[in-house]
Amino acid sequence: MSKHDELSIDQQQLTAAWQRTLPSTINEADRAEVMPDEADPKALRVTIHTAGHQMYTFDFKVGYVDSREVQTTLIDVEKDGRTVDERTDIIQQLVQDYTRHIHECAQALHGLTHA
């Protein structure tokens, strides 16, 4: 088995695939945006807008470690456009949920990323 398990899909195609797939792995009422990470060709920027009155926005960097595994990093959490303390229980709970959804999306795309 080769240790060279690189991501073999172009960033634009990857972004498009995530845009199609992520909405089906997150809560129906939430909204997700996926953009290429301009600083890292193996990474995406994912923004999730929570539904309801909370109006939180979560920004994640999703980097591919290899063709199967992603590393999710929380960049920022905002509420009504202002940065909030991400250490609170509710925020931590949401971060864990969204991280799980992001990993589910990555798994759903294995057929595409693990060529």
Side-chain angles (χ1 to χ4, degrees):
M1 171 144 166
S2 151
K3 296 271 296 169
H4 195 68
D5 188 18
E6 291 267 316
L7 191 60
S8 61
I9 181 173
D10 139 290
Q11 194 181 31
Q12 292 301 330
Q13 289 177 292
L14 189 62
T15 302
W18 272 78
Q19 283 170 333
R20 281 192 310 272
T21 310
L22 188 58
S24 65
T25 66
I26 64 172
N27 305 329
E28 227 173 271
D30 294 342
R31 205 163 50 79
E33 295 169 53
V34 183
M35 310 282 269
D37 184 317
E38 295 181 1
D40 181 351
K42 289 195 179 85
L44 303 169
R45 290 298 182 122
V46 173
T47 302
I48 298 174
H49 304 276
T50 59
H53 59 273
Q54 293 165 326
M55 299 198 45
Y56 288 117
T57 304
F58 292 82
D59 285 315
F60 293 95
K61 176 178 177 175
V62 180
Y64 272 83
V65 179
D66 58 32
S67 70
R68 274 187 281 242
E69 189 188 344
V70 293
Q71 182 175 20
T72 306
T73 311
L74 178 69
I75 305 296
D76 189 31
V77 182
E78 291 183 354
K79 180 180 174 130
D80 292 328
R82 285 191 297 282
T83 299
V84 295
D85 181 357
E86 45 213 51
R87 292 171 304 215
T88 63
D89 286 347
I90 177 127
I91 301 282
Q92 284 301 311
Q93 186 68 52
L94 286 165
V95 167
Q96 285 178 350
D97 278 356
Y98 289 132
T99 300
R100 195 174 63 247
H101 295 313
I102 287 168
H103 284 269
E104 284 167 15
C105 182
Q107 284 177 337
L109 293 172
H110 275 178
L112 198 62
T113 58
H114 187 67

